[in-house]
Amino acid sequence: EEINDAPEEEIETQYVPVRIKRYDSWAVICRSVYGDRYYLPHEYRTAAHLAALKKLGICEVIGVHSSGSLRPSLAPGMLVVPSDWINFTSPCLTTLSGERRHLTPSFSRPLRQGLVDAAWKAKVNFENGGTYWQSHGPRLETKAEIKVMSNFADLVGMGMVDEANLAQEIEMSYAAICSVDNYANGLGFSSLTDQMIHDQLVKNSFAINKVLYSFHESWFMEQT
């Protein structure tokens, strides 16, 4: 509630201006909605978002992502703190050019463990670990694509990998928590619609908020 009521400010970056809400030691960016416009995942301004946070002196980022389950045992309503990712289909976003710098992709271990500990303390239904497969979007995946993905990954979504990669490039610590909002196309018991995904995300938001506040309390206590 404090974040929702916090004033919004605009931060200039080398890309585009970014709107940020700040409260206490938090800074929050909504990727999807700026004013009256809705941004689809392929339109996210990820490089600008991260640059704005870094301009404010923030070096630790938690991504919150909607995702589809690729496993029958991973039901909508659960949360996942992913441990790895796959991205074969999306264009590779990068800020690097003109230098030899091949990074080994990874989440921040301390930040990721902090999220896991916070989820335990918040007593939410979650899984520690899992592989996230990023697709390009904005369309959902075909049933045939899901059959392939489900052999190698646990979750499918459209934005986390870009954030994780770009954050590492500009030396920001990054970890993520995923809201399981639907069974992927072909795995559920009914036809999948965008409204079904949105409705479950709204239901999951309470559990996500519990984890984030638990993380905030323990993480910043340890840092001071």
Side-chain angles (χ1 to χ4, degrees), residues 156-174:
V156 60
M158 300 179 187
M160 189 207 76
V161 176
D162 289 335
E163 273 190 355
N165 285 335
L166 293 183
Q168 191 172 9
E169 286 184 1
I170 61 174
E171 299 180 342
M172 300 180 80
S173 298
Y174 184 88

Side-chain angles (χ1 to χ4, degrees), residues 173-201:
S173 298
Y174 184 88
I177 185 165
C178 294
S179 170
V180 182
D181 299 324
N182 58 283
Y183 282 116
N185 188 17
L187 294 186
F189 299 105
S190 60
S191 298
L192 182 60
T193 67
D194 183 63
Q195 189 61 48
M196 291 168 58
I197 297 171
H198 175 74
D199 291 346
Q200 185 61 57
L201 175 60

Side-chain angles (χ1 to χ4, degrees), residues 6-219:
E8 191 174 64
E9 59 185 291
E10 191 168 86
I11 306 297
E12 294 291 336
T13 74
Q14 64 267 46
Y15 305 102
V16 293
V18 174
R19 295 178 184 176
I20 291 183
K21 283 181 174 288
R22 281 204 284 178
Y23 176 80
D24 193 18
S25 51
W26 289 89
V28 175
I29 296 174
C30 178
R31 307 179 194 86
S32 299
V33 181
Y34 285 162
D36 297 328
R37 168 149 186 205
Y38 183 87
Y39 286 85
L40 291 163
H42 68 287
E43 299 176 307
Y44 288 166
R45 301 171 173 187
T46 306
H49 296 165
L50 294 171
L53 292 173
K54 192 158 189 180
K55 189 173 182 178
L56 294 176
I58 295 171
C59 296
E60 297 161 336
V61 179
I62 294 173
V64 179
H65 294 271
S66 174
S67 61
S69 169
L70 294 171
R71 297 193 341 247
S73 60
L74 187 59
M78 295 185 66
L79 305 180
V80 177
V81 181
S83 51
D84 207 346
W85 65 77
I86 296 171
N87 180 21
F88 291 141
T89 55
S90 299
C92 181
L93 295 183
T94 182
T95 59
L96 301 179
S97 179
E99 60 177 316
R100 183 176 178 85
R101 191 159 171 250
H102 300 287
L103 299 174
T104 301
S106 66
F107 290 110
S108 161
R109 290 185 181 181
L111 207 58
R112 186 185 173 281
Q113 186 60 51
L115 273 179
V116 171
D117 293 343
W120 280 115
K121 292 177 183 177
K123 298 180 180 179
V124 298
N125 191 10
F126 86 105
E127 283 201 6
N128 176 9
T131 299
Y132 177 108
W133 185 306
Q134 181 165 307
S135 63
H136 184 43
R139 69 162 176 84
L140 298 177
E141 303 74 31
T142 68
K143 294 179 181 180
E145 289 167 344
I146 292 301
K147 285 182 180 179
V148 173
M149 293 176 183
S150 63
N151 287 310
F152 304 99
D154 306 286
L155 301 163
V156 60
M158 300 179 187
M160 189 207 76
V161 176
D162 289 335
E163 273 190 355
N165 285 335
L166 293 183
Q168 191 172 9
E169 286 184 1
I170 61 174
E171 299 180 342
M172 300 180 80
S173 298
Y174 184 88
I177 185 165
C178 294
S179 170
V180 182
D181 299 324
N182 58 283
Y183 282 116
N185 188 17
L187 294 186
F189 299 105
S190 60
S191 298
L192 182 60
T193 67
D194 183 63
Q195 189 61 48
M196 291 168 58
I197 297 171
H198 175 74
D199 291 346
Q200 185 61 57
L201 175 60
V202 172
K203 293 178 182 178
N204 282 6
S205 62
F206 178 71
I208 292 170
N209 287 338
K210 286 182 66 177
V211 174
L212 294 177
Y213 278 107
S214 174
F215 174 87
H216 178 268
E217 290 176 356
S218 58
W219 183 264

